[in-house]
Amino acid sequence: MPSITIIGSGPGGHIAAFEAARRGAEVTLIEKAEIGGTCLNWGCIPTKTLKSSAEALETAGRLEEFGIAAAGGEESVGFKADMEAVVARKERVRKVLCGGLEKTCSAMNIRIVRGSAELGAGKTVRVHTEEGVEEIKSDSIIIATGSSILELPSLPVDHKRIINSDDALDLDHVPGKMVIVGGGVIGCELAFIYRAFGSEVTIVEGLDRLLPIPSVDADMSKLLQREAKKHRIKVQLAKTVQKVEVVDDKVQCVLGPSPFVENAKGGETTIEADVVLVAVGRTPNTVGLNLAEAGVETDERGWIKADGNMRTSAEGIYAIGDVLGPARVMLAHVASAEGLCAVDNCLGIERALDYSVIPSGIFTSPEIGTVGLSEEEAARKGIEFRSQVFQFRELGKAQAMGELPGMFKIICEKESGKIIGAHIAGAHATDLIAEAGLAIKNGLTAADVAHTIHAHPTLAEGFYEVCEAWLRGC
Ligand code: FAD
């Protein structure tokens, strides 16, 4: 029976463990913190649980719009976020999912070892457990240790006034004024959540658009900026926070023109906040792994180097997930896909992962879903393309739901009509993007989708409509 040792139990590690066990391998899964990794404990799931509370509060504030009045004839009913209850709900969800993972591991005979792992020579892993050091030798090792919050010396996190994304998931109160440093995915998601809870939010982004990620189409960033304005979230683009100082329980943030944008305008300004949330990036969890002794190469920033089959430079040692860094895609479902690919290769099936069609969900308000190429990427590849948009408000279902902001956008090869990119902003965009992913993966054209009957009235009709409009050329 082949044996596989997996270090880290996030969506990369635990999915690899399930797959390896299912295929008859003897599997050991090592975890030094909480089972489920960043995704379940400090990332995807906790943020989306908070987002659901934020949405419930927003809906409560719109009840009149839906014709709902207080029973008993009271004038008006007010609602607010009870952060202790919000965080308690998040904890309940987290524990249910973590508990489920442990039960599945046990049912599949996956041995969980709790402790901090380091690599030794000859495919050996040493685990520092509460009981002592355990040495595990196996045929293959998969490193799935993920990433941690990047800290900047100029923004020293004190977990009280200057906080990080982990802290933002456990706040016991709604801060009055919140400055969020970083307008990437995590910064924007938390901005809309805390704005819904009642904070006055300012996002400071060093580049010249929100979500400055090549795969996110520029139109989505523009739409999000408009929606941020409607939600009264202030956005400072091409600015960086140069200094923060806690004075009398407030944080003074000194903003200046960004060094990352050519000719960024403006001088220094100071804004005051109750809390500054730093969301500027991630750093690899490789410290203490003993990579050098095992012969596992990293790049200059410490991210592990692996080939398309997830093989590192050391024979029999694979790496998957966030620990591969931003050169790949740092998302939970990508870590899982890489985990499946690594297991295939551990078990002797040569397979490289196809990264060409990766959907991503951004849980702002409205949500954004993207898959395939952005216009910018298509242009850079020299592809002749034509784009089409269709507005959410034109859908009967969107009107019925009162969810008007948003758009469907497709990017198709000009001649063939093959869909090469799809970008959706609006209610449930992160679910709606799945159809576009399937279309792109299977090489479908706008005509293929437009000739597929879509149920009415649904938000999914928007994808049909945008393809239909592309065909008509309007
Ligand atoms: P991780 O999930 O980070 O797991 C690694 C595990 O390894 C950890 O449990 C760690 O304790 C353990 N470990 C590390 N070193 C050792 C060691 N030496 N010994 C033993 N164990 C070790 N992605 C999405 O797709 N959708 C989202 O909506 C989303 N939202 C996010 C929101 C936030 C706030 C954050 C921070 C991230 C979000 N992500 C999201 C990203 C997602 O969480 C990561 O891409 C994903 O968790 C990476 O999975 P992984 O298995 O590579 O690593």
Side-chain angles (χ1 to χ4, degrees), residues 11 41 85 88 92 100 109 117 129 135 148 187 212 230 240 260 290 299 316 347 406 422 438 455 457:
N41 296 289
R92 282 197 300 279
N109 287 326
T129 69
E135 208 162 87
S148 299
K230 281 195 215 158
T240 51
F260 310 117
N290 214 7
D299 69 14
L347 299 180
L438 195 63

Side-chain angles (χ1 to χ4, degrees), residues 72-109:
E74 289 95 346
E75 282 286 286
S76 69
V77 184
F79 295 95
K80 68 180 179 71
D82 170 353
M83 287 309 289
E84 279 184 19
V86 167
V87 171
R89 176 175 183 273
K90 181 264 297 178
E91 280 297 290
R92 282 197 300 279
V93 171
R94 187 181 72 77
K95 283 182 183 150
V96 165
L97 293 171
C98 289
L101 274 189
E102 287 195 50
K103 277 194 199 131
T104 308
C105 285
S106 157
M108 297 182 92
N109 287 326

